[in-house]
Amino acid sequence: MLQTPAKQKSEPPAGGAKTAARPKSEGPAPASEAAAGRGLDWFNLFVANVQTGFGPFIAVYLSGQSWTQTAIGVALSVGTVSSMASQVPAGAWVDAVRNKTRVAAFSVLVFTASALMFAIYPIPLLVYLAEVLHGLSSCTLGPAIAAMSLALAGRFGMAVRLGRNARYAAVGNGVGAALMGACGQYLSERGVFYLTAALTLPALLALLPLRRYSMARGAAQAAAPEQPKARVLKVLADRRLLVFCGCAMLFTFANAPLLMLISGTLAKQGSNPSLLIGACIVLPQVIVALASPAIGRFADRRGRRLVLIVGFLMLPIRALVFSTTSNSALVIGVQVLDGIAGAGFGILVPLVVSDVAARSGHFNLSLGAVGFAIGIGSTVSTSAAGWVADHFGIRSAFYFLACVGLAAVLLALLAMPETRPEREEDAGATAAAGRASAGRAASTAPPQQRPPRAE
């Protein structure tokens, strides 16, 4: 079963002394672990391909099916609400399921069903059902990927592993957008969803090395002493997690409406913003693909808090630049900052949650709590920014979002503690868990019989 490890590998003894070779029964061979890592890379890429099909292509497709804008908005809102409502329960369910590869496979199969519902018969009932299923499976897939990453890399390799995840996901987003855009242009809009369903098959194949790796680890994990789970309320009330939820909500609130507002500015000037917005979406993905591994390593060396603050600073700068210019080249160029912020934030969400809750037994539940905060920020922000733009002008809306982004920076600077774990702290926790397990075993063992005394 691929699951978060109960304990980390111990460090080699001081002085460089050699240790005994690890028996084969203690865990999978390095080749199996390397294959599982490559499988997770490809799984991230193909899942990003699939998710691209559920983006703006839905609105374009339903418009071609004679749906009104109001009906399209209702359908998209159904998906958003179902996703928000299932964040925390989905995380708790992923925690409860021992085999995370099964959760990932189940989520991908639900994506297949959702895409086929759109393609075969786009009546309101099936479209609403497809949106609900997509929202639910998205909430289980993200935690499952994070849990598989934690099981492969451990707490101390998580930052580098998440950097690789982000790189392959960014490549998948770019390739998926190109493939599906070409499919919609040259074949049919319906064909986009058949292509989405077809791309779920290589995603399932990419899980096979992960399944073999999890089976190889099964005996070692069964033999390892398990830590008792912490109380749910204690984990969710952790100050580090609460502050991070606040930071994530403010950042998403300020970031989500920016492209919507700049596209409105360009449209009012009489230009067609479609190509520019496409470039504004693709360029950050290129930056994410290039910079994510380096950002992961930097977060390992210098800590999470510095990466968080630097990434958050990019947002108010973007908002201020958008408020002062509508020059196409400058608008596209400033999206480099969005790539830096997106790479840092995308890595830090599961990384900080791993730092706080990986050893509690509620890692995915905590990840769902952060996802719920992000959902609140993105859902409320578009309406709020639109209201400010309608009543006070688009420039004022950009200033408003810049202030919210600055609030996220200040909250991270003044209230967010460093969460990077220390190896000495982890070793002490592991030793304490081992002593507790030994104590429980001793308390349940039958008393030894003393030999009879010789007369």
Side-chain angles (χ1 to χ4, degrees):
M1 288 76 65
L2 196 58
Q3 56 186 343
T4 53
K7 61 178 182 178
Q8 302 298 315
K9 297 176 182 178
S10 59
E11 292 296 300
K18 293 183 179 180
T19 57
R22 183 182 62 179
K24 290 183 180 180
S25 60
E26 287 188 8
S32 174
E33 186 171 345
R38 290 191 295 270
L40 187 55
D41 291 338
W42 288 106
F43 183 70
N44 276 286
L45 187 144
F46 286 116
V47 163
N49 286 165
V50 172
Q51 290 282 50
T52 304
F54 290 95
F57 295 101
I58 291 178
V60 174
Y61 173 58
L62 294 181
S63 296
Q65 299 294 318
S66 301
W67 282 53
T68 65
Q69 293 301 313
T70 301
I72 295 173
V74 170
L76 297 178
S77 297
V78 167
T80 302
V81 171
S82 66
S83 178
M84 281 186 59
S86 57
Q87 287 280 353
V88 176
W93 179 66
V94 176
D95 278 331
V97 177
R98 293 178 62 86
N99 194 331
K100 312 304 181 187
T101 56
R102 291 183 179 179
V103 177
F106 171 78
S107 303
V108 171
L109 289 173
V110 173
F111 285 154
T112 309
S114 301
L116 291 176
M117 286 181 186
F118 277 112
I120 295 173
Y121 202 40
I123 61 173
L125 177 61
L126 291 183
V127 168
Y128 296 153
L129 180 59
E131 281 288 322
V132 170
L133 291 176
H134 175 256
L136 294 174
S137 56
S138 297
C139 293
T140 56
L141 182 62
I145 292 175
M148 291 188 293
S149 302
L150 183 60
L152 276 172
R155 295 174 71 203
F156 300 109
M158 189 67 165
V160 177
R161 176 68 254 180
L162 291 173
R164 286 180 61 176
N165 289 358
R167 165 173 281 183
Y168 279 85
V171 172
N173 281 325
V175 172
L179 286 176
M180 292 173 189
C183 181
Q185 178 71 28
Y186 298 109
L187 296 179
S188 70
E189 294 168 353
R190 188 186 299 268
V192 169
F193 297 97
Y194 284 119
L195 178 60
T196 300
L199 287 173
T200 60
L201 298 179
L204 291 173
L205 291 176
L207 284 174
L208 292 179
L210 287 159
R211 182 175 180 273
R212 287 193 290 267
Y213 174 79
S214 66
M215 292 172 65
R217 293 189 66 188
Q221 289 184 338
E226 292 189 2
Q227 285 188 298
K229 283 193 175 184
R231 293 183 179 179
V232 173
L233 292 180
K234 182 180 179 181
V235 176
L236 295 181
D238 190 298
R239 175 175 173 268
R240 298 168 295 174
L241 189 65
L242 292 176
V243 173
F244 186 68
C245 284
C247 291
M249 183 170 63
L250 290 173
F251 174 81
T252 309
F253 185 101
N255 186 60
L258 282 180
L259 279 183
M260 176 191 74
L261 292 177
I262 196 64
S263 64
T265 302
L266 295 172
K268 285 184 178 180
Q269 293 179 348
S271 59
N272 185 357
S274 299
L275 185 60
L276 291 176
I277 296 302
C280 288
I281 293 172
V282 171
L283 181 60
Q285 295 300 322
V286 174
I287 301 301
V288 170
L290 295 175
S292 290
I295 291 175
R297 291 191 295 270
F298 187 84
D300 241 3
R301 291 195 302 266
R302 300 299 179 90
R304 311 347 183 180
R305 187 167 171 267
L306 180 59
V307 175
L308 191 69
I309 292 170
V310 171
F312 281 1
L313 275 172
M314 302 297 105
L315 198 152
I317 295 174
R318 283 176 61 221
L320 291 175
V321 171
F322 285 161
S323 70
T324 57
T325 184
S326 57
N327 180 275
S328 302
L330 188 57
V331 166
I332 295 174
V334 81
Q335 285 298 96
V336 171
L337 302 179
D338 185 38
I340 297 172
F345 188 65
I347 291 172
L348 284 178
V349 168
L351 184 57
V352 170
V353 175
S354 168
D355 295 341
V356 174
R359 300 184 62 88
S360 69
H362 300 295
F363 168 64
N364 296 290
L365 175 67
S366 303
L367 197 61
V370 177
F372 182 72
I374 292 173
I376 292 175
S378 62
T379 302
V380 176
S381 63
T382 50
S383 299
W387 184 86
V388 173
D390 288 340
H391 289 79
F392 302 100
I394 289 183
R395 178 170 294 182
S396 297
F398 283 125
Y399 290 151
F400 168 65
L401 295 177
C403 290
V404 177
L406 186 59
V409 174
L410 293 176
L411 182 61
L413 182 64
L414 301 176
M416 184 69 196
E418 178 57 56
T419 63
R420 182 178 56 175
E422 299 293 336
R423 292 183 184 269
E424 292 80 6
E425 170 193 345
D426 190 77
T430 300
R435 288 194 298 270
S437 176
R440 289 194 300 270
S443 64
T444 56
Q448 294 183 348
Q449 298 293 329
R450 286 186 298 178
R453 186 175 60 181
E455 293 294 336

